[in-house]
Every structure is written in C-alpha cells, then in structure tokens.
C-alpha cells in the first residue's frame, strides 16, 4: 500500500508552553482488532478544542471521544480502509497546534489450510494445495512446504490477492502413507508482532494403493475328521477386504482373514483362493489343502456302456478318490478267480480292448487301497456277435468304366466298429491298385482306368468272428473320339471312288458297328468289328461311283459301341462329309455388259465365268489376226475387265478360257464399237495442179463405223457416190478447175472436206463432158479398174468390218 507523505509546516510561536502528543506513533494495527489513537495536550489553561482530520482526503471511519485535555479516535474493527495519515489539531485559545501519525494495517488471521492430502494415489502425480486466507498485504507473505525439516517448495504472495495459494506436485510411494507434510506461512510486513509473523499447518498424507505383499498359509495336510485353518493378509490403502473361494465352487466360503474348517472331509480337499480387494484393485493367492482318507467313490466304467459287439473298441476305466494315493487295480473275475489286467499307483487306471471278442465277456472289478482302507466296484461286460453288413459301390454285378477315367470301388461295413478289409481278385489274386481305409469304409482307386483293370474283384470284411464277402466286375471300354472320314483320291463323276472311315483306340472292337448312311437314314454299308483283346483302330471302306446328282450330298459314318453299361451319350459317334465331285470346266461364258454393240466412249465390262472343280485358271483374251492378247486372268472361277471409255480400236473378238487339271473350255464374244466419221483427209494425185488432158485420182480417207457414204460434189452441183472414197477424173480441161467438196456420212454423223484443182490450158480439141469421164473407181468395176484393184478394195472392207471400224483404202495415182 502506498503512503502519502504530507509536510506539516509549524510556524514558530513566541511561547512553547502548549504541547500536543499523538499516540501511538506510526502504529501497525491488525485487521479485526479494536484500536484507539490518543491525542492529548498540555500547557492549555482552558478547555482545548480537538479536530481529527486526514491528510489523504479519506474518511477516518472511527469514533471520536474527547474528555478534557484528551481526545480518543477509536476503530471498533480495523480494516484495510483504516490505513491513513491521521492529523490531530488542538486549539487552545488563539493558539493552534497539531500532530500526525501514519496508521498501517495488516491481516494474517488464520493458519494455512492444506487440501489434496486425503486421497492420494501411489505412483501418480498428486497436487497438494495450501491456502492462506485474508492476508494483507499479501505481497509480504511467503509459503513454504516442508517434509520433516526439509523445505521442498516455496511460493510468494502477489499484490492485491487476499487469499494466497501454493500448489505442490509430487508422486508419492506407498511408504509416504501416514507421513506428514507442513505448510508454513511467513508474513514479513514491518510492524507485525513476532508471534504473529509465522503460522503453519501439519497434515498427514493419505496415500492409497491396491493390495500388495499378500501373505497366505502354507499348504495344509490333515486327516479326515480334524479341523484346519487358513490365514491370508495383504497391505493396501484403503484396507483390503478378504474373500475365500474353493476351486470348483462358485460361492464364497469365507470373508475374514482367517478361514476355519471343522470336521474336515475329502470334500474340503482342493485349492483355496484368497482374494484381497479394495477400490484400487485386487490381489490373490492360493493354498492347497489335502484331507487324507480311505478310498471312496470308487467306480468302474465300461465305454461304450452297452450294446457291445465283437470287434468293438472297448475301454474299461477304474477310478477312486483317495488321499494319500495308494494302489488301483483292474481285474477280471471268473469262477472265483481274479486276474489282474492293469494297476496303477495313481488314483485311476484303464485298459483298452481294441477288438473285443465273445471270450472277453464277464465280470470286471476295480479295487482301490491306501493306508486308511480299501473300496471295490464291479461291472458286467457282455459281448454279442456282430451283425455285420457289407455294401460295395457303385454296385454289385458289372460296372462299366471308360479307359482313362477315374473309378473308385467303395466297400462299407455297418454294425461293426472296427472292421478289417481285404481286396482280392476273383481267383484270390493280389490287387495292386491303391487302397485306403478310413473307419468303416475301404476304397480301391483306379486312376486312370486301364484295359488290364477289367476283371472281377472281391471285398472281404472281417468283424470279430464274422466274415462277409461282396463281388463286383469291371468292364472297360474305349471309344474316345469321333470317326474320321478320308478320301483315297479325288471324287470324279462316273469314276469308282473310295471313302475310308476310321475309329481310333476302340475296345472291345468286337462290339463296334460301323454304318455308312446317305441322307441320314439310308444305309449304304454295315460292318461289324472283330475280336481283339487290345486297343484297335477300325477302318471301314465304302466303294461307289458318284454321279452328278451326288454333288453336295452328305455321307455319314456312324460308329456304335454295342456294349451294356456304356452311357447312352457315349455309345454312338458320327462323322459327316459332303461329297465334292471334281470335273473339267463347263458352262463357260463370256458376257459383255451393257451390250456387245457400243458407242465410242461407253464404259463396258467384259466378264468371264466357268463352273469347275477344283478351281483352276480363268483367262480373258482379245483375238486379232490369230494373235491372242491376255487381258486378265484369275485362279478363281471368274474374272473380268472394265474399259471405262471404249474406242473404235477396241472392236473385235474376245475369248474366255477356263482350265483345271481335268480339262479346259472356251467361249467368245464379238464386240462392235460404232463412231461417226473423223480424221477425214482428201488427197489429189498426182497433184492438184495438172496439165490439161491429164487424169486425177481423188483419195478420201476417214475413220468410222459403220462404213460411211462418200459423195464428191462437183462444181456444177453434180454428186457422185463412191463405196471406197476414191474418185478418178479423166482428161481434165481448164473448165474443170475450181472448188470441190467431199461429204463423208454414216448413221452417227458426218464430216466435209473442201479442196481446189487447178488445170493448165493447152491447145487441143474441145474436152468431153465430165459426165462422161468422172468415174468412181469401185463403180466402174471391170471397166476402169482391173480385177486386182477390185479385190484389194474388197479386202480392206472385210478387214475393217472385222476390226469394228472402217478406213478407206489408200489409193495410188492413176495413169492414163
């Protein structure tokens, strides 16, 4: 708390007789106490006047009582609010004097309070708290934790905290339980009386822990009828409770540290458990108690208990409850004789008869003996003849198995607990196949089944004195694959042919039938197999002469194994072949599409096709002047060629030829291409410039089909026709000079050529008229042209027709 310092200026006075005293000087008051400040005056001859004030501008918060020359300021219950700088002013007449004092307050009323010490857990961090309430000024308080005389932790107070706390964290052990810890609070504020400066509190540590260090009695051995006691204790906080249990019993037998048993019997023998427990855990220990007594509860047990049959596995057990251990003996009793079968120094013994017989029937006895006495028990054992039944699977009689498959013969015995199995052949020969026996079933494995496994088998079962036998026979068949049809050579119409049908790995072959069928129902041939004791490949041969109607017809080879026991789905297999007859090319055709007569520029496709087996070679050719030019060929039965824009030169004969190993065949077609006249030229021989009286040959050449009509138009309008385009002008005169015109025309069009002839004049007789002397060469025939010339023109016409075009013959100049 801060104090305000006030300077009091005392003015000098002339007389010093007035004296004011304020007591106590600078007091330190304890909060809660009743305290008084006394202000007195001396040297005042009249009644003084007292005034109490504060230099800190605070209320005095006290009672003022003035009597004569003394004034008292009383604080009934001191609090922090009473801290002040108090002034006492005294007026005596005209004289005024004052005294001041500083009042300070402290509070330290209670001893420290410790908490957290009453439920501490061993091995865990625990927090102890020490609180000092109503402390003032708190910054002068110091708290110390002490274990014994050792300070283990220190905390200091802070300003303006009325309750000062200190926390001390530590991990106790079980040894700390019951020890003390001290919280000491020291107030160092000046003015606090020495006997009030220190306060301390002592607290006991309550450290809790689960039970430990359990102690239990040693093992106890007592005689039957006496008493015994067991003790058990354990450390723990809170104090553990004790519970006793006996092994095998769910109920507790005691709840105190000491368990007392009176008149002990063998029932009290066994292991006892002492369980100590508190809220933090539990701890147990056991002790064994042995109560000694003569044998009791002696029993003899036959297992199975009843219905014993010869061959059964029987166990006879003897047991007795006795302490101490003695001797247990198992005997067979017959005609007052006891034959010992087994004995033991333990409390039990047993004997096992793995295959009991009729002779083992009788009375069996168990006797137990120790130093305190003996006890017996007996049991009657009755053995009956075993009603043995034997079943063999898949069944008695004949079993059919496929070669290469897996087969298991299972022989089962009923009403016999321990049967013995023996597998044999019919003649008591050994069986070399693998056999396995489990319980009442024995299995004989054939994996895979072989031809050598075909025989009769016997399963013999023995059960005690009973013997039974079952027989079965295995028949093996092999029919693994479908028939295979093969041809010895190519099938030809009208020629004798052979088909082979082969069935592989057949057994027994004597039971196999092979049939040839046509149209699935008409039998052509049936053959039966022959006897053989091994796998056999059977082949059937079908000879026949195919006709054209057999082409594409199916022939079936059906093989049937006529053996009993073979599954229906495995008895029959088939193979089918389709007859494909081979022949030389036939029906060979050549087709021109869209037509055989075409216009120049048309698109045309020429196709060639032939029917032949096997496939050979088809060739498409163009024939001209005994030459054959191949255009297209194929190894298939047909070929074709397309001319996207046919020309006059493509006219002619086209041929299709088909060839295979059995022969050849051809076909042909004429292709005609039509076109209008074109490339027309006119030639005047020997020259368009001639002397009067000379002869002139006019040659007109053009390309077209069909052949054109050629007309020469004279200057006077006369038109002359020529079949070959050649004209002969005889004995020309100057009047014949001039312009001439040739028109070339067919069904598809025409062309015109104009030319000029010049004639040089000479003196002579008047020329004859052209009407008498213009001679078409072909038209005059034998008059003008020789037979040779006529034959030549005809020859050109024939050649043009063959080529599908027409070109006028080239002419030579005439001579006159």
């Amino acid at each position: 708390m801060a104090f305000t310092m006030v300077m009091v200026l005392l003015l000098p006075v002339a007389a010093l007789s007035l004296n004011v005293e304020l007591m106590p000087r600078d007091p330190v008051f304890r909060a809660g106490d009743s305290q008084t400040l006394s202000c007195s005056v001396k040297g005042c001859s009249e009644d003084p006047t007292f005034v109490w004030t504060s230099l800190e501008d605070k209320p005095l918060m006290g009672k003022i009582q003035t009597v004569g020359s003394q004034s008292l300021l009383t604080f009934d219950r001191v609090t922090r609010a009473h801290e002040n700088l108090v002034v006492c002013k005294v007026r005596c007449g005209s004289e005024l004097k004052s005294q001041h004092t500083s009042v300070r307050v402290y509070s330290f009323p209670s001893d420290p309070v410790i908490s957290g010490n009453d439920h501490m857990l061993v091995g865990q961090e625990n927090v102890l708290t020490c609180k000092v309430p109503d402390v003032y000024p708190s910054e002068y308080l110091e708290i110390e934790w002490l274990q014994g005389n050792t300070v283990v932790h220190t905390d200091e107070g802070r300003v303006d905290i009325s309750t000062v706390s200190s926390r001390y964290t530590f991990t106790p052990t079980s040894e700390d339980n019951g020890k003390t810890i001290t919280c000491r609070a020291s107030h160092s504020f000046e003015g606090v009386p020495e006997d009030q400066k220190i306060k301390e509190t002592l607290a006991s540590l309550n450290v809790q822990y689960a039970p430990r260090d359990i102690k239990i009695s040693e093992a106890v051995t007592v005689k039957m009828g006496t008493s015994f006691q067991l003790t058990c204790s354990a450390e723990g906080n809170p104090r553990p409770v004790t519970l006793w249990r006996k092994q095998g019993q769910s109920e507790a037998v005691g709840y105190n540290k000491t368990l007392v048993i009176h008149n002990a019997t063998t029932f009290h023998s066994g292991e006892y458990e002492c369980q100590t427990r508190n809220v933090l855990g539990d701890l147990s220990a056991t002790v064994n108690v042995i109560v000694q007594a003569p044998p009791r509860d002696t029993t003899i047990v036959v297992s199975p208990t009843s219905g014993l049959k010869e061959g059964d596995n029987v166990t006879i057990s003897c047991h007795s409850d006795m302490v101490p251990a003695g001797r247990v003996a198992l005997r067979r009793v017959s005609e007052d004789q006891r034959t010992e079968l087994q004995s033991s120094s333990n409390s039990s013994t047993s004997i096992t008869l793995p295959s009991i017989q009729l002779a083992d029937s009788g009375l069996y006895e168990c006797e137990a003996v120790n130093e305190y006495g003996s006890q017996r028990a007996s049991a009657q054992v009755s053995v009956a003849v075993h009603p043995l039944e034997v079943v063999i699977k898949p069944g008695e009689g004949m079993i059919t198995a496929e070669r290469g498959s897996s087969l298991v013969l299972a022989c089962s015995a009923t009403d016999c607990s321990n049967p013995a199995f023996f597998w044999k052949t019919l003649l008591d020969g050994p069986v070399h196949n693998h056999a396995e026996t489990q319980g009442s079933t024995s299995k004989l494995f054939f994996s895979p089944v072989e031809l050598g496994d075909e025989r009769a088998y016997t399963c013999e079962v023995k059960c005690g004195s009973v013997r039974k036998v079952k027989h079965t026979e295995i028949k093996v068949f092999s029919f693994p694959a479908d028939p295979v049809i093969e041809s010895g050579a190519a099938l030809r119409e009208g020629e004798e042919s052979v088909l082979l049908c082969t069935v592989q790995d057949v057994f027994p072959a004597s039971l196999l039938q092979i049939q040839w069928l046509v149209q699935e129902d008409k039998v052509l041939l049936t053959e039966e197999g022959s006897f053989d004791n091994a796998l056999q490949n059977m082949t059937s041969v079908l000879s026949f002469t195919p006709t054209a109607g057999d082409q594409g017809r199916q022939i079936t080879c059906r093989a049937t194994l006529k053996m009993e026991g073979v599954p229906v789905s495995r008895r029959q297999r088939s193979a089918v072949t389709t007859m494909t007859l081979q022949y030389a090319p036939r029906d060979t055709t050549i087709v021109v599409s869209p037509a055989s007569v075409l216009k120049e520029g048309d698109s045309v496709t020429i196709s060639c096709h032939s029917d032949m087996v096997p496939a050979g070679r088809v060739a498409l050719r163009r024939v001209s002047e005994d030459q054959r030019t191949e255009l297209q060929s194929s190894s298939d039965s047909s070929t074709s060629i397309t001319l996207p824009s046919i020309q006059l030169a493509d006219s002619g004969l086209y041929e299709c030829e088909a060839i295979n190993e059995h022969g050849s065949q051809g076909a042909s077609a004429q292709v005609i291409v039509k076109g209008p006249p074109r490339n027309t030229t006119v030639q005047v021989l020997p020259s368009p410039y001639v002397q009067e009286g000379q002869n002139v040959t006019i040659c007109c050449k053009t390309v077209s089909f069909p052949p054109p009509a050629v007309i020469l138009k004279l200057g006077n309008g006369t038109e002359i026709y020529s079949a070959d385009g050649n004209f002969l002008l005889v004995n020309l005169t100057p009047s014949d000079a001039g312009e001439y015109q040739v028109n070339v025309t067919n069904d598809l069009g025409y062309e015109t050529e104009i030319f000029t002839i010049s004639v040089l004049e000479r003196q002579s007789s008047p020329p004859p008229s052209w009407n008498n002397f213009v001679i078409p060469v072909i038209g005059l025939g034998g008059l003008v042209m020789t037979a040779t010339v006529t034959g030549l023109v005809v020859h050109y016409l024939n050649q043009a027709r063959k080529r599908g075009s027409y070109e006028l013959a080239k002419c030579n100049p005439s001579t006159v």
Side-chain angles (χ1 to χ4, degrees):
M1 179 177 180
F3 296 96
T4 304
M5 303 300 293
V6 180
M7 300 292 293
V8 180
L9 181 61
L10 300 178
L11 299 175
V13 296
L16 300 175
S17 59
L18 188 63
N19 184 23
V20 178
E21 185 178 22
L22 180 59
M23 295 296 293
R25 299 296 298 173
D26 297 326
V28 176
F29 294 152
R30 183 172 67 182
D33 290 352
S34 180
Q35 298 289 346
T36 301
L37 291 178
S38 174
C39 183
S40 60
V41 62
K42 293 180 181 180
C44 181
S45 59
E46 56 185 83
D47 290 334
T49 300
F50 293 89
V51 178
W52 293 87
T53 61
S54 169
L55 293 181
E56 295 184 10
D57 196 18
K58 293 169 58 177
L60 294 176
M61 298 176 64
K63 261 184 214 180
I64 300 173
Q65 186 179 7
T66 303
V67 179
S69 60
Q70 185 179 24
S71 181
L72 299 177
L73 176 59
T74 302
F75 306 112
D76 284 341
R77 182 175 177 80
V78 176
T79 66
R80 294 173 53 183
H82 290 107
E83 283 195 329
N84 210 337
L85 192 59
V86 179
V87 178
C88 176
K89 296 180 181 181
V90 181
R91 182 179 290 280
C92 182
S94 61
E95 189 175 358
L96 178 65
K97 270 197 172 183
S98 65
Q99 288 289 342
H100 69 277
T101 186
S102 175
V103 177
R104 292 180 295 166
V105 178
Y106 79 94
S107 178
F108 190 20
S110 305
D111 291 337
V113 178
I114 297 175
S115 62
N117 61 305
D118 51 349
H119 293 290
M120 304 178 72
L121 297 178
V122 69
Q124 298 183 16
E125 282 192 352
N126 291 262
V127 178
L128 297 179
T129 302
C130 179
K131 293 184 177 181
V132 184
D134 300 326
V135 177
Y136 181 80
S138 57
E139 64 267 25
Y140 289 92
L141 189 73
E142 179 184 66
I143 296 178
E144 295 177 311
W145 291 91
L146 297 91
Q147 286 184 301
N149 295 321
T150 303
V151 176
V152 294
H153 185 69
T154 302
D155 278 322
E156 292 183 354
R158 291 179 293 170
V159 177
D160 294 333
I161 296 177
S162 62
T163 298
V164 179
S165 296
S166 175
R167 293 164 59 88
Y168 172 47
T169 302
F170 81 110
T171 303
T173 64
S174 58
E175 286 75 16
D176 292 323
N177 185 45
K179 291 183 179 180
T180 60
I181 191 164
T182 302
C183 176
R184 178 186 294 164
S186 302
H187 208 307
S188 60
F189 186 63
E190 185 179 356
V192 176
E194 289 297 326
D195 61 344
Q196 294 292 318
K197 283 189 174 182
I198 297 176
K199 296 179 184 293
E200 60 184 23
T201 299
L202 190 68
S204 178
L205 300 178
N206 182 19
V207 180
Q208 296 184 343
Y209 53 94
R212 66 173 192 171
D213 297 336
I214 191 169
K215 294 180 175 62
I216 195 169
S217 303
E218 299 291 336
V220 176
T221 301
V222 297
K223 292 182 180 180
M224 189 171 63
T226 62
S227 300
F228 66 91
Q229 70 176 21
L230 304 175
T231 60
C232 176
S233 63
E235 294 182 13
N237 186 26
R239 183 184 301 276
V241 296
T242 303
L243 179 71
W244 288 94
R245 292 184 187 277
K246 184 177 183 295
Q247 187 180 30
Q249 292 182 235
S250 59
E251 297 292 332
V253 297
Y255 296 93
N256 298 315
K257 290 184 178 181
T258 302
L259 175 66
V260 179
I261 301 294
H262 300 285
N263 193 22
T265 67
T266 54
F267 172 78
H268 296 106
S269 294
E271 186 178 77
Y272 287 79
E273 180 187 30
C274 169
Q275 186 179 65
T276 60
R277 178 184 302 169
N278 65 12
V279 294
L280 299 178
D282 58 71
L283 186 64
S284 299
T286 59
V287 61
N288 199 45
V289 175
I290 300 173
V291 179
Q292 295 180 337
R296 68 187 186 95
D297 299 333
T298 303
T299 58
I300 183 170
V301 177
V302 180
S303 180
T305 57
S306 62
L308 298 179
K309 300 179 181 65
E310 271 193 318
D312 284 353
N313 190 329
V314 178
T315 298
I316 304 174
S317 304
C318 175
H319 177 78
S320 184
D321 183 12
M322 57 180 173
V323 178
R327 184 174 184 274
V328 176
L330 183 62
R331 303 183 182 96
R332 181 178 177 190
V333 181
S334 60
E335 298 178 357
D336 297 329
Q337 290 184 352
R338 287 177 168 81
T339 303
E340 188 171 291
L341 305 176
Q342 190 80 5
S343 65
S344 171
S345 58
N346 206 338
S347 60
S348 62
T349 189
S350 65
I351 185 173
T352 298
L353 304 176
S355 180
I356 200 166
Q357 303 299 315
L358 277 174
D360 295 322
S361 299
L363 185 66
Y364 288 79
E365 178 186 81
C366 171
E367 183 180 24
V369 180
N370 71 0
E371 60 187 87
Y372 297 102
S374 66
Q375 191 179 37
R376 289 180 181 177
S378 62
Q380 184 71 39
V381 175
S382 299
V383 181
V385 175
H386 209 293
L388 176 66
E389 294 294 335
V390 177
V391 176
I392 191 168
K393 293 181 179 180
E396 295 185 66
M398 188 180 71
I399 300 170
T400 303
E402 186 174 7
R403 173 180 174 267
S405 65
S406 294
L407 175 66
V408 179
L409 296 182
C411 185
S412 299
T414 56
D415 294 328
C416 181
S417 59
N418 190 25
F421 294 90
F422 304 93
W423 289 96
K424 300 178 182 179
T425 62
L426 188 60
L427 300 177
D428 288 338
V431 175
H432 301 292
N433 298 74
H434 175 64
E436 288 183 1
T437 300
Q438 283 188 334
S440 60
T441 301
S442 180
K443 294 181 179 179
L444 185 63
F445 295 89
F446 300 85
S447 182
V449 175
E450 299 292 349
L451 298 185
D453 295 325
E454 183 172 278
R455 63 184 67 185
Y457 293 87
T458 298
C459 175
E460 179 182 329
V461 184
K462 289 183 179 180
C463 187
S465 59
V466 181
R467 173 183 175 275
K468 287 194 175 181
V469 176
K470 291 293 181 180
H471 304 281
T472 190
E473 183 178 2
I474 296 178
K475 289 291 185 179
V476 180
F477 76 92
S478 178
F479 192 17
D482 292 337
V484 177
I485 299 176
E486 297 176 308
S487 174
L491 302 180
R492 297 286 305 275
E493 291 182 16
E495 296 182 6
E496 186 175 3
S497 301
V498 173
L499 291 179
L500 305 176
C501 179
T502 303
V503 185
Q504 300 281 342
D505 296 333
V506 179
F507 183 85
S510 59
L511 300 180
L512 187 74
Q513 180 189 74
I514 298 178
Q515 288 184 313
W516 290 93
L517 301 96
V518 65
Q519 297 178 345
E520 297 184 358
D521 56 358
K522 182 179 178 181
V523 178
L524 301 178
L525 176 67
T526 300
E527 289 187 341
E528 305 289 340
S530 59
F531 176 78
D532 198 328
N533 60 357
L535 290 177
Q536 187 173 347
N537 296 337
M538 284 195 61
T539 300
S540 176
V541 180
L542 176 66
S543 298
F544 68 105
T545 301
T547 65
D550 292 327
Q551 182 72 275
R553 181 170 293 173
Q554 289 187 334
I555 292 183
T556 301
C557 175
R558 183 168 67 199
T560 305
L561 187 62
K562 297 183 175 181
M563 178 178 177
E564 291 186 12
V566 176
V568 175
S569 61
R570 307 287 291 162
R571 287 183 183 178
Q572 196 172 83
R573 293 178 178 271
S574 299
V576 179
T577 186
T578 301
M579 283 191 286
T580 302
L581 305 182
Q582 296 189 359
Y583 46 85
R586 62 188 181 187
D587 299 332
T588 303
T589 58
I590 183 170
V591 176
V592 181
S593 178
S596 59
V597 179
L598 306 157
K599 292 182 181 179
E600 195 174 29
D602 285 352
S603 175
V604 64
T605 299
I606 304 173
S607 303
C608 177
H609 176 77
S610 183
D611 179 17
M612 56 181 168
V613 177
R617 184 174 186 273
V618 176
L620 183 62
R621 303 185 183 95
R622 181 177 176 186
V623 181
S624 60
E625 298 178 357
D626 298 328
Q627 289 186 351
R628 287 175 169 79
T629 303
E630 187 169 295
L631 306 176
Q632 189 79 6
S633 66
S634 170
S635 58
D636 202 349
S637 61
S638 62
T639 188
S640 64
I641 185 172
T642 298
L643 303 176
S645 180
I646 197 165
Q647 303 297 314
L648 287 173
D650 295 322
S651 297
L653 185 66
Y654 288 80
E655 178 186 78
C656 170
E657 184 179 26
I659 302 173
N660 71 0
E661 60 190 74
H662 301 298
S664 64
Q665 188 180 39
S668 62
Q670 184 74 38
V671 176
I672 299 173
V673 182
K674 293 181 177 182
R678 59 184 173 86
N679 301 332
T680 302
T681 60
V682 175
Q683 187 177 15
V684 179
L685 299 175
S687 171
Y689 301 96
V690 296
Q691 293 286 331
E692 182 181 6
Q694 285 185 328
N695 297 338
V696 174
T697 301
I698 300 172
C699 296
C700 179
K701 294 190 291 182
T702 188
V703 177
S704 69
F705 191 84
V710 184
I711 297 173
L712 176 64
K713 189 175 182 179
L714 303 180
N716 59 5
T718 302
E719 292 183 352
I720 303 174
Y721 168 79
S722 173
D724 63 355
N726 295 329
F727 299 90
L728 178 64
L729 303 182
V730 179
N731 195 18
L732 295 181
T733 65
S735 62
D736 295 321
E739 190 176 83
Y740 290 79
Q741 179 177 310
V742 174
N743 291 329
V744 182
T745 306
N746 68 6
D747 295 342
L748 302 178
Y750 69 92
E751 273 193 341
T752 301
E753 291 293 328
I754 298 174
F755 61 94
T756 301
I757 297 177
S758 299
V759 180
L760 300 178
E761 185 178 357
R762 68 177 178 176
Q763 293 297 323
S764 65
S765 298
S769 172
W770 281 114
N771 292 330
N772 298 324
F773 294 98
V774 178
I775 304 171
V777 175
I778 298 301
L780 292 176
L783 295 177
V784 179
M785 301 182 65
T786 64
T788 302
V789 174
T790 304
L792 181 62
V793 173
V794 172
H795 169 73
Y796 277 116
L797 286 174
N798 289 335
Q799 288 299 314
R801 288 188 180 91
K802 287 182 181 180
R803 292 196 303 270
S805 65
Y806 182 80
E807 185 175 354
L808 296 178
K810 181 179 180 181
C811 61
N812 293 318
S814 298
T815 57
V816 177

